[in-house]
Amino acid sequence: MASDEVSPLPFISDNDLKPFYVLHKASNSQQHNVRKPVGRTSRKVKVNLSSSLAATDESEVFDNDQLHNNSRMKNFHNAWVKIESTIKDVLHNIHSDVFNEISSWVQKSFGEICSSGKLDANKATCSYPIVTDVTSKQIFTALVVMSNIEFVDDLQTFADLGVHLHSHGCHVANLSSVDFSAKSGIGGCLRSLLRQILDGSTDAADISILASWYMEHDNFKSPVVVIIEDMDRCSGSVLSDFILMLSEWVIKIPVILILGVATNLDSSKTILSSKAVQHLSPSKFFLGHPADRLDAIIEAVLVKPSSGFLVGHKVSAFLRNCFLRQDGTLTSLVRAVKMAIVQHFLMEPLSFTVKGLLDEEVTEIDAWPTQALDLPSCMRLSEPKSKALLSGASMKEMLNMWSSVVLCLHEVGKNQSTTLLDLYDEALDPKLYNLRNSDYLESKPDHQRPSWIHGINGSSSEKQKGRLISRMIRQIKDMPPAGLFQLLEKWDEQTKGVDKIHEKVKEIQLQEPFKDNNLKDSPSKSRKQSTRNIGNLDRGTKALNEKAVAQITCMTRDHMQPIECIPFHEIVCFKNVDKLQAVLLGDPRKRIQLDLLECNKFLKCSCCTKSNNVPISSMHDTSLMYTLSQEHGNLINLHDWYQSFKAVILQKTVKDKQKSKVSPSPKKRKIAAEPQNITEASVQARFCRAVTELQITGLLRMPSKRRQDYVQRVAFGL
Amino acid sequence: MEDDHDIDEEEFEFSRNYFLAKESGGKSGKKSARKLSEIDLLDEQDLRTEVSKIEPKHEKEIASLISSYKSLYNEWAFELRYGFGLLLYGFGSKKTLIEDFASTALTEYSVIVVNGYLQSINLKQVAMAMAEVLCEQLKLQPRSSGGSLKSQQPFNTRSMDDLIAFLDGPHTQESECFVCLVIHNIDGPGLRESESQHLLARIAACSHVRIVASIDHVNAPLLWDKKMVHVQFNWCWHHVPTFAPYKVEGVCHPLILAHGSASQSVKTAIIVLQSLTPNAQSVFKVLAEHQLAHPDEEGMPIDVLFTSCRERFLVSSLVTLNSHLTEFKDHELVKVRRHSNGQDCLYIPLSKDALEKLIQEINQ
């Protein structure tokens, strides 16, 4: 209240005290330009992007700059669109089986409802539905179990399911726990149900509207499907009421429920009232495991170089850590990849050349621009820059080989539930690649290997690194013939289009001694025959196993060159993991404290540089106060704090006084005169403002009635 | 593994700091018992004027720090365009920075500013304003499907769901139209409720909406769940400390040296007491003297007060005493609590110092 009475504050404008205001409207003159936003943005972007290039001759480059920026933005847009659609397709394919299953179940259930209770217009329009027996009050319910406690990843799934069912002619409403809150009650969910099904033409919460709408036109020919994406988070009583109400009307409006269940199948019994449970006639469906989805997305987006955008090893390790340690959601992984694209095209000026590089249809690829020769990866090349390297084609080839080898390895690991994420991470590691090129991968007998390769469950991850690939290779050695045969077929598939590798794989396939033995259906063979052949076969397949091992070893050694080992990779490869992390996961708790404790880093003023974080009077007041507060414990006595603040502020005065006594030059006296002006009142005011600012940052808890003279510290350590 | 080690170390450091701080605050007994009232404090009015007169420090450095962020505007605008929300954090007021960004780099968007640091904000009105601005923008577009817009009912009669549905409408093929929502202190007191945050998240997820927000509170991220962070707001974090004073943002916060201090409550108590009859003042004095004389007691039982007041001819009946007491209670001069023997008793919710000062003042 007090603040209202204070004389008008000069620094506050009217707008500052309005809850909201329109700052400006979209400028009209630019409206017409909006059509080609890509070009426009790029013009702006040009100005200040940090570049990995040394300063180039301005005048020479300037003309091309515009052009390059435009094509850079175009490339970005293409990559962005491509990745978005790829992800969408991948998820769609993964779910298509379950979706079809649910869709046919919906049709079947609808048929059953229709056959049990006959609809006619007379019944439908009477005020209360006539229900003949209890069994007809059943609602067909699909419990869709997500094998993932994180419902975020499945939000899109349920949205897609809605679209899928809609395309099959159902009337679909997608509801979520927000609609089933205790606060808005049954009216809330009913309203959003009606909004969605009746296409927003009503705001009333009355189910009879739905009933009469259902009888109109051809609506009654298909069922009403209500999808609730996160049943576990709904208010139990509201959901129970909703179900009871639907069950009363089920003959007139054949509603089919689809409930997303994140925990376990019994949860519906704990959440809902027993009366409501009685009315459900449940069926179960299972969504795919999130790990499968993860693998599919990584394969499509990151392993197969289709978008002209790749990430370096450190970034992939960061993505992996994010997924495994922090968040565990696919959504955040996808978000991180998208963010990485944005950052890459923002930061890499040469990314304008990406066009067509990784596109399969484009065969003609321009040579790298001259600036690219200055890239560190190119400078590293010891031999004279050969012509082959100067075009993107060689890179494209290398990347294709890399991805096919990775996928071949993944085929090996699939039975052992190795995630592609781990494999991908390891395959990108340039250090390991260099190691591999020495003797590391040669299949020595186990006891000859350096001991760290088979450390027991990896006492440290450093030792574990690089184990995955070698372990997979060893697996091939012990593979049964049938498995090997399948594996070779998969390899054949994966290496199609990569001639160098494909030929060799074919070679092994042709050599196979079991070709005529028909191993494919070996279990059905007569025992007699198989026992006779076993010795022969054994030797033959062992040799084949060896060959496969030799082949994959050779493939990993020669063709699995991580992107960071390829010259010019900077153009397509995003490596700046720090930037990505900063943009993706802010850390306000740490950063804000650091701002306060090391304010000089940001302000770079001359006066406080030497202080070395010892509180001195010239420091920013709040920063000074926070530094002082570090000396206190949990509680800060306001009186003590005030006194120490005051002491620091007045410090300079004393020193200067002494100085001025020694050398009473007029200039120094002038400086000294200023701090002398510090009155008790101004110290109090500064103290108050600093406390308020700390309160805004949430680093202090204000005095309670009990402890009027203390504030409480909130953060201890960064 | 190195990382693991670092993390463990960090966590250990963190918990050690916490317990050290707790210890030095509680056990050691060195806890200072000094009181604020020992400082000769200004009264609130003067303090406020003094606060507004504080000489700024490091003005030059702050200005150059803020203008150094100008080079990031293009990057921000780019991220915003591609569907990320900008979240700016770091110490110092970011109000001018964001508004400068919005008016230089976001000219093609309509921009609506929400001052989240204020106490109460009506988000429906914000959504209405956004819808109106968007509607105007859509009408201006060449070859837009303006026909469908005309038939709509006015925005101020529509429900929140309708407004959000409108903001989430499809883009026309040729061009895209955005309304940018700038929220200063999305973690501010007026928006801190989870309901407001959910609503903001829904608005932020709309196809025609882009969001730029600032946070100042270290725990602000706790306001959002994963759906809001990853899907709806889709934050892109930027650390931009400005060290600019929180002038406007701090206006609603009470000043620590003016708030709850003895002098302040004494002053208000005196004003109230002076408006009462001399008899009522004397009744209050009886209670105050009793409280000063028996500092350890929980309060004065009402019958004791009645007897002692009747002895001094201050009141004649319990009814008159009660009418005085009601007056006191209404102004929070006197409170009631249950005595350990079950009896209701009266006390004055002021410290000893404050009470002494108060009695002196009325006696004058």
Side-chain angles (χ1 to χ4, degrees):
Chain A
M1 269 295 97
S3 58
D4 292 345
E5 296 154 15
V6 177
S7 54
L9 300 161
F11 50 81
I12 294 177
S13 70
D14 262 1
N15 277 342
D16 292 341
L17 294 175
K18 281 183 198 158
F20 70 93
Y21 62 95
V22 178
L23 184 69
H24 64 77
K25 293 188 176 167
S27 58
N28 212 354
S29 59
Q30 292 191 344
Q31 278 291 324
H32 305 287
N33 289 339
V34 181
R35 274 196 210 177
K36 22 174 197 171
V38 173
R40 266 160 48 71
T41 324
S42 64
R43 214 176 310 143
K44 282 182 182 171
V45 168
K46 181 198 78 188
V47 192
N48 269 309
L49 291 178
S50 62
S51 80
S52 65
L53 282 178
T56 37
D57 193 7
E58 288 275 326
S59 57
E60 183 193 314
V61 180
F62 189 77
D63 287 339
N64 282 331
D65 246 16
Q66 192 81 9
L67 216 70
H68 290 165
N69 278 315
N70 285 350
S71 59
R72 174 144 66 121
M73 287 309 116
K74 222 178 276 167
N75 290 339
F76 165 75
H77 195 78
N78 291 340
W80 176 266
V81 169
K82 184 140 194 183
I83 285 188
E84 274 203 327
S85 67
T86 313
I87 292 172
K88 216 175 169 187
D89 290 348
V90 166
L91 290 179
H92 187 262
N93 289 340
I94 277 194
H95 291 133
S96 62
D97 287 347
V98 190
F99 283 6
N100 287 332
E101 212 179 303
I102 293 177
S103 163
S104 60
W105 169 83
V106 166
Q107 295 302 340
K108 209 183 89 197
S109 312
F110 181 58
E112 256 175 69
I113 299 175
C114 290
S115 65
S116 67
K118 287 193 183 62
L119 285 167
D120 63 71
N122 285 335
K123 268 186 184 177
T125 42
C126 72
S127 64
Y128 200 76
I130 305 142
V131 176
T132 41
D133 63 309
V134 192
T135 47
S136 62
K137 283 194 191 178
Q138 292 287 311
I139 303 175
F140 287 92
T141 308
L143 296 173
V144 180
V145 183
M146 323 170 217
S147 33
N148 187 359
I149 199 76
E150 288 295 348
F151 72 101
V152 190
D153 285 348
D154 287 312
L155 292 178
Q156 193 55 44
T157 313
F158 284 103
D160 290 344
L161 178 61
V163 174
H164 182 88
L165 292 176
H166 190 77
S167 69
H168 283 69
C170 305
H171 309 290
V172 185
N174 272 78
L175 303 182
S176 73
S177 58
V178 181
D179 301 310
F180 290 91
S181 65
K183 200 183 165 204
S184 51
I186 189 133
C189 49
L190 199 52
R191 207 168 288 131
S192 35
L193 173 68
L194 292 179
R195 273 184 64 86
Q196 289 190 38
I197 293 200
L198 274 61
D199 225 6
S201 56
T202 177
D203 252 341
D206 186 354
I207 195 154
S208 58
I209 299 176
L210 185 65
S212 51
W213 166 85
Y214 192 73
M215 291 312 297
E216 285 168 19
H217 315 298
D218 283 344
N219 290 335
F220 57 87
K221 282 183 181 160
S222 39
V224 173
V225 180
V226 178
I227 303 176
I228 301 171
E229 56 192 20
D230 45 354
M231 184 198 71
D232 309 75
R233 310 211 311 168
C234 295
S235 149
S237 60
V238 178
L239 186 56
S240 303
D241 288 349
F242 183 69
I243 289 172
L244 288 176
M245 182 189 67
L246 289 181
S247 71
E248 296 290 341
W249 289 80
V250 75
I251 295 176
K252 280 165 63 179
I253 317 164
V255 171
I256 291 165
L257 273 180
I258 296 180
L259 303 177
V261 184
T263 49
N264 62 4
L265 278 170
D266 291 336
S267 66
S268 63
K269 283 172 195 148
T270 51
I271 291 172
L272 300 174
S273 66
S274 57
K275 221 174 163 190
V277 172
Q278 279 177 1
H279 288 290
L280 298 180
S281 115
S283 316
K284 294 161 206 164
F285 296 93
F286 294 89
L287 288 180
H289 198 269
D292 298 337
R293 270 184 261 175
L294 178 72
D295 277 0
I297 282 187
I298 289 185
E299 178 179 335
V301 177
L302 294 172
V303 178
K304 285 185 179 160
S306 55
S307 54
F309 169 77
L310 297 157
V311 299
H313 176 245
K314 277 190 181 152
V315 176
S316 84
F318 169 76
L319 294 180
R320 185 170 168 267
N321 268 348
C322 257
F323 183 79
L324 293 180
R325 286 209 188 126
Q326 285 179 358
D327 201 295
T329 61
L330 203 56
T331 321
S332 68
L333 188 104
V334 169
R335 194 172 103 88
V337 172
K338 283 185 176 176
M339 190 71 92
I341 306 178
V342 171
Q343 297 303 326
H344 175 68
F345 281 89
L346 271 173
M347 292 164 70
E348 181 50 61
L350 284 178
S351 53
F352 68 88
T353 49
V354 172
K355 185 174 183 286
L357 166 63
L358 304 161
D359 213 340
E360 271 162 39
E361 289 105 56
V362 180
T363 43
E364 279 297 304
I365 296 166
D366 305 335
W368 299 121
T370 45
Q371 300 101 300
L373 294 176
D374 298 330
L375 287 171
S377 65
C378 183
M379 307 279 266
R380 265 206 311 268
L381 288 176
S382 47
E383 76 260 37
K385 291 150 192 169
S386 64
K387 237 183 182 177
L389 286 173
L390 286 180
S391 76
S394 67
M395 181 190 274
K396 186 175 167 182
E397 201 187 331
M398 284 186 209
L399 291 176
N400 280 336
M401 284 198 281
W402 179 86
S403 65
S404 60
V405 177
V406 171
L407 291 176
C408 283
L409 280 171
H410 185 224
E411 293 296 343
V412 182
K414 258 182 188 166
N415 332 327
Q416 310 291 319
S417 70
T418 312
T419 59
L420 187 56
L421 184 60
D422 295 333
L423 179 65
Y424 170 71
D425 184 44
E426 193 173 311
L428 272 183
D429 194 340
K431 268 189 216 154
L432 280 177
Y433 175 73
N434 294 334
L435 246 180
R436 231 179 277 137
N437 272 346
S438 49
D439 59 352
Y440 155 54
L441 267 184
E442 275 166 34
S443 31
K444 297 173 189 166
D446 266 8
H447 60 271
Q448 281 179 22
R449 286 167 174 280
S451 62
W452 54 264
I453 291 188
H454 47 91
I456 307 153
N457 268 336
S459 44
S460 83
S461 74
E462 197 56 47
K463 287 177 187 171
Q464 268 215 319
K465 269 186 190 169
R467 281 191 57 201
L468 203 56
I469 291 176
S470 56
R471 204 179 63 205
M472 282 177 176
I473 293 175
R474 259 177 292 156
Q475 264 171 29
I476 301 176
K477 222 174 185 179
D478 308 327
M479 220 170 231
L484 190 64
F485 179 77
Q486 277 174 356
L487 181 69
L488 284 173
E489 264 191 353
K490 293 256 176 67
W491 283 5
D492 184 42
E493 226 169 86
Q494 295 290 5
T495 54
K496 253 172 208 160
V498 189
D499 298 339
K500 270 189 197 170
I501 308 176
H502 191 66
E503 278 168 20
K504 287 182 190 163
V505 173
K506 266 272 177 268
E507 233 167 75
I508 306 181
Q509 260 184 324
L510 288 174
Q511 276 184 10
E512 47 189 285
F514 40 74
K515 185 116 201 186
D516 31 44
N517 281 345
N518 263 337
L519 261 179
K520 275 176 263 181
D521 42 20
S522 62
S524 65
K525 284 212 153 196
S526 73
R527 190 177 285 173
K528 225 178 179 182
Q529 201 185 344
S530 54
T531 37
R532 202 187 308 147
N533 283 349
I534 215 153
N536 220 341
L537 201 67
D538 211 34
R539 242 172 290 139
T541 50
K542 267 283 168 283
L544 197 73
N545 278 9
E546 291 290 344
K547 263 187 194 143
V549 169
Q551 168 64 17
I552 193 83
T553 312
C554 159
M555 271 155 68
T556 37
R557 192 181 53 223
D558 299 339
H559 304 307
M560 203 175 70
Q561 198 173 9
I563 176 78
E564 278 167 279
C565 299
I566 301 175
F568 304 108
H569 70 265
E570 283 93 339
I571 296 171
V572 286
C573 175
F574 178 72
K575 297 194 290 186
N576 193 337
V577 67
D578 294 333
K579 172 77 186 174
L580 180 64
Q581 184 165 12
V583 166
L584 216 48
L585 313 159
D587 187 359
R589 201 177 168 89
K590 185 175 179 177
R591 293 295 198 98
I592 290 174
Q593 286 190 72
L594 278 179
D595 292 347
L596 285 169
L597 294 174
E598 299 170 357
C599 68
N600 191 243
K601 261 191 187 166
F602 299 96
L603 290 177
K604 297 187 181 104
C605 56
S606 52
C607 44
C608 328
T609 323
K610 292 163 215 154
S611 81
N612 251 343
N613 286 336
V614 176
I616 54 166
S617 63
S618 67
M619 264 163 96
H620 188 280
D621 281 347
T622 314
S623 186
L624 170 60
M625 287 272 286
Y626 193 64
T627 313
L628 288 173
S629 79
Q630 300 297 302
E631 293 159 16
H632 292 261
N634 182 25
L635 294 175
I636 304 174
N637 181 285
L638 277 171
H639 178 269
D640 293 353
W641 200 16
Y642 175 75
Q643 293 300 350
S644 52
F645 176 68
K646 189 171 150 190
V648 173
I649 282 186
L650 298 176
Q651 218 173 39
K652 194 180 172 188
T653 337
V654 182
K655 262 187 200 165
D656 283 346
K657 265 183 195 165
Q658 286 167 348
K659 270 187 197 164
S660 59
K661 269 178 201 164
V662 182
S663 60
S665 72
K667 216 179 182 182
K668 278 209 169 153
R669 200 173 281 162
K670 211 177 175 184
I671 299 168
E674 193 194 358
Q676 269 172 352
N677 287 340
I678 298 173
T679 58
E680 179 79 22
S682 74
V683 177
Q684 284 183 19
R686 285 163 69 179
F687 181 82
C688 285
R689 195 181 65 183
V691 170
T692 306
E693 294 196 341
L694 286 176
Q695 194 190 351
I696 290 173
T697 63
L699 289 168
L700 280 187
R701 207 167 290 157
M702 288 296 103
S704 62
K705 280 230 164 108
R706 281 228 186 124
R707 290 192 290 237
Q708 293 214 338
D709 294 298
Y710 296 91
V711 288
Q712 212 175 339
R713 272 178 69 189
V714 170
F716 305 95
L718 297 175
Chain B
M1 208 62 206
E2 257 172 49
D3 297 348
D4 270 346
H5 189 65
D6 281 352
I7 287 169
D8 287 348
E9 187 77 356
E10 222 167 76
E11 268 169 17
F12 173 69
E13 181 79 3
F14 184 79
S15 49
R16 200 181 57 127
N17 278 332
Y18 176 78
F19 286 114
L20 274 181
K22 281 273 182 204
E23 204 170 50
S24 61
K27 259 189 190 172
S28 61
K30 279 183 204 159
K31 193 166 106 179
S32 168
R34 308 287 293 271
K35 300 219 151 138
L36 262 187
S37 47
E38 290 168 38
I39 308 168
D40 184 23
L41 294 174
L42 294 181
D43 71 32
E44 179 158 354
Q45 197 78 26
D46 297 341
L47 205 55
R48 288 257 171 209
T49 16
E50 202 62 47
V51 166
S52 61
K53 283 195 296 193
I54 294 176
E55 275 180 45
K57 274 180 183 179
H58 297 129
E59 248 180 320
K60 218 172 59 197
E61 284 87 357
I62 289 177
S64 72
L65 182 68
I66 294 179
S67 67
S68 75
Y69 295 130
K70 280 196 169 123
S71 62
L72 300 172
Y73 284 3
N74 295 318
E75 191 189 324
W76 295 353
F78 186 76
E79 286 159 352
L80 209 57
R81 225 198 85 76
Y82 279 94
F84 290 98
L86 290 181
L87 187 64
L88 308 183
Y89 69 108
F91 181 76
S93 170
K94 291 163 284 293
K95 193 168 166 38
T96 34
L97 174 70
I98 296 179
E99 278 171 21
D100 181 54
F101 164 65
S103 17
T104 53
L106 301 180
T107 45
E108 64 201 79
Y109 302 167
S110 299
V111 178
I112 290 185
V113 179
V114 176
N115 292 322
Y117 48 79
L118 296 176
Q119 294 296 323
S120 73
I121 287 149
N122 186 336
L123 284 178
K124 186 165 179 195
Q125 283 175 356
V126 176
M128 256 153 31
M130 289 173 75
E132 265 159 32
V133 170
L134 178 68
C135 190
E136 273 177 45
Q137 222 170 315
L138 288 174
K139 273 180 197 158
L140 283 172
Q141 272 194 358
R143 272 189 282 158
S144 76
S145 50
S148 66
L149 289 170
K150 278 170 201 161
S151 57
Q152 281 166 351
Q153 61 184 114
F155 288 113
N156 50 16
T157 59
R158 295 218 231 163
S159 72
M160 196 70 194
D161 291 321
D162 275 329
L163 292 172
I164 286 178
F166 175 70
L167 291 172
D168 202 17
H171 285 281
T172 50
Q173 282 202 332
E174 313 89 50
S175 60
E176 294 175 319
C177 246
F178 294 116
V179 177
C180 180
L181 186 61
V182 168
I183 305 178
H184 298 299
N185 282 85
I186 195 171
D187 56 349
L191 298 172
R192 220 169 263 179
E193 301 262 307
S194 107
E195 211 176 316
S196 316
Q197 291 292 335
H198 274 288
L199 212 50
L200 280 177
R202 282 178 67 196
I203 293 175
C206 291
S207 59
H208 284 291
V209 177
R210 291 292 183 264
I211 191 165
V212 180
S214 70
I215 57 166
D216 286 304
H217 199 284
V218 287
N219 290 335
L222 299 179
L223 291 171
W224 308 307
D225 64 22
K226 280 183 187 173
K227 179 182 174 188
M228 293 156 92
V229 169
H230 295 320
V231 182
Q232 294 177 311
F233 286 126
N234 201 5
W235 291 129
C236 185
W237 294 73
H238 289 282
H239 179 232
V240 282
T242 62
F243 292 92
Y246 288 105
K247 280 180 183 156
V248 202
E249 292 92 331
V251 156
C252 295
H253 288 262
L255 295 174
I256 183 101
L257 295 181
H259 170 72
S261 71
S263 60
Q264 199 61 28
S265 29
V266 167
K267 218 173 254 176
T268 46
I270 289 167
I271 294 168
V272 175
L273 281 176
Q274 276 166 355
S275 68
L276 299 178
T277 58
N279 263 6
Q281 285 182 24
S282 307
V283 172
F284 185 81
K285 234 185 287 175
V286 172
L287 184 59
E289 275 157 8
H290 178 270
Q291 190 166 326
L292 285 173
H294 307 87
D296 298 330
E297 265 181 33
E298 279 162 88
M300 193 175 189
I302 194 159
D303 51 324
V304 180
L305 180 65
F306 178 59
T307 346
S308 108
C309 287
R310 203 171 47 178
E311 278 166 6
R312 299 177 201 194
F313 300 108
L314 295 174
V315 291
S316 55
S317 71
L318 204 55
V319 181
T320 23
L321 178 64
N322 274 335
S323 73
H324 289 318
L325 286 177
T326 320
E327 195 89 26
F328 294 154
K329 282 180 207 160
D330 286 349
H331 291 99
E332 296 203 332
L333 286 174
V334 164
K335 285 190 172 175
V336 184
R337 67 179 152 201
R338 185 64 54 91
H339 196 272
S340 49
N341 61 16
Q343 211 175 5
D344 279 342
C345 56
L346 305 159
Y347 73 101
I348 303 164
L350 287 174
S351 68
K352 200 182 161 209
D353 312 340
L355 207 53
E356 275 166 358
K357 216 172 179 182
L358 179 60
I359 291 184
Q360 268 177 16
E361 293 273 337
I362 348 177
N363 282 340
Q364 275 169 12

